[in-house]
Amino acid sequence: MPDYHDDLRLAHVLADAADAATMDRFKALDLKVETKPDMTPVSEADKSAEELIRSNLKRGRPRDAILGEEFGVEGTGPRRWVIDPIDGTKNYVRGVPVWATLISLMEAGEGGYQPVVGVVSAPALGRRWWAAKGAGAYTGRSLTSATRLHASKVARLQDASFAYSSLTGWEEQGRLDGFMDLTRAVWRTRGYGDFWPYMMVAEGSVDICAEPELSLWDMAATAIIVTEAGGTFTGLDGAPGPHSGNAAASNGLLHDELLGYLNQRY
């Protein structure tokens, strides 16, 4: 199996640079915020963080392609870095500390590009998570000061904690009835949102989570962290990986039941 340690180390360097840039503008009174064509917000910090990561990648990995939320695809080839400079921009612009920079390296393989490295860095929370293919998933202050992650062993849905972002997307897709039935079947529900539920699945503090509509840059890094922690990450269609336009993540033991509820009346 290929050794991705150098790529993982680079991803940490990229995350360090992005953290410094985003924290510098977090809660800034003069932060500039625009509305994108899809009616979602983008701040100057989103753009500057992605530009910073791109410039570092062009120096460090000039042959690799880059896909970012704010500036699209650049380059071609079997290796592609996928970037979400600020996952949770709505939180960021309102001063809520639940946001993160997501950085993933994907490689061409069977079924298209698959994530082989992922880093999720949430500096306002003082947290970072990462994984590399075949090397496990970790959280900590640095590569050398880390704790390995393991998904939970909760095997009964009535004992499970379920995390989600919001209700509107489920309603728009006609999945709200199944979603509500799921919330009644589990032990506990919490609307943490964005990257955080997936990291909690990897940590074992949440057992299942799902979102009805996502982009590749929302999922590439979180997918490999969940799977390397022993969990399962698929689309709502059950297809493994981050390519379905939506996501379901679990400790693996509850995945079929999770998908069953969210698809039961769809």
Side-chain angles (χ1 to χ4, degrees):
M1 180 174 291
D3 182 355
Y4 295 103
H5 183 75
D6 286 346
D7 293 312
L8 181 59
R9 188 166 52 190
L10 174 60
H12 274 270
V13 172
L14 299 173
D16 288 343
D19 286 355
T22 52
M23 285 300 291
D24 183 60
R25 299 298 292 154
F26 185 49
K27 296 187 179 181
L29 296 178
D30 60 344
L31 181 72
K32 295 186 178 71
V33 182
E34 302 171 0
T35 300
K36 294 194 285 190
D38 63 359
M39 302 308 293
T40 60
V42 58
S43 74
E44 62 180 85
D46 292 78
K47 293 180 179 180
S48 63
E50 183 169 324
E51 287 173 335
L52 182 61
I53 293 170
R54 283 175 178 269
S55 65
N56 285 332
L57 280 172
K58 287 173 186 176
R59 287 194 299 270
R61 294 290 187 275
R63 297 182 180 179
D64 293 351
I66 304 171
L67 169 64
E69 178 176 10
E70 306 307 333
F71 299 106
V73 180
E74 187 174 1
T76 59
R79 289 165 48 99
R80 176 183 291 177
W81 293 85
V82 179
I83 306 158
D84 189 343
I86 299 179
D87 182 53
T89 298
K90 291 177 183 177
N91 283 345
Y92 184 89
V93 301
R94 289 297 302 271
V96 178
V98 184
W99 49 271
T101 295
L102 279 51
I103 300 168
S104 178
L105 172 63
M106 304 185 76
E107 285 192 344
E110 292 185 19
Y113 285 89
Q114 299 299 331
V116 295
V117 167
V119 172
V120 172
S121 192
L125 295 176
R127 298 295 311 276
R128 185 177 291 187
W129 305 261
W130 65 88
K133 184 177 180 181
Y138 297 84
T139 185
R141 297 177 64 88
S142 68
L143 279 167
T144 56
S145 177
T147 302
R148 188 155 186 174
L149 300 176
H150 299 282
S152 78
K153 299 298 183 184
V154 173
R156 302 195 311 163
L157 201 62
Q158 59 263 44
D159 298 326
S161 180
F162 170 45
Y164 61 94
S165 282
S166 67
L167 301 181
T168 53
W170 301 106
E171 186 173 30
E172 290 167 0
Q173 291 191 7
R175 299 180 191 262
L176 185 59
D177 288 341
F179 175 91
M180 294 304 298
D181 286 348
L182 176 60
T183 67
R184 298 180 187 106
V186 298
W187 166 63
R188 191 170 189 250
T189 61
R190 284 293 182 271
Y192 298 109
D194 300 307
F195 67 94
W196 209 3
Y198 304 98
M199 298 303 94
M200 286 191 278
V201 167
E203 290 181 336
S205 54
V206 162
D207 309 298
I208 56 176
C209 68
E211 288 183 88
E213 186 175 2
L214 292 169
S215 298
L216 179 60
W217 46 76
D218 298 312
M219 297 183 281
T222 59
I224 188 168
I225 294 171
V226 167
T227 54
E228 285 293 326
T232 300
F233 191 106
T234 73
L236 296 176
D237 56 4
H243 295 290
S244 298
N246 46 48
S250 76
N251 62 6
L253 301 173
L254 300 169
H255 207 77
D256 289 344
E257 288 181 276
L258 170 62
L259 293 179
Y261 271 96
L262 296 178
N263 289 309
Q264 68 179 4
R265 303 183 192 180
Y266 181 60

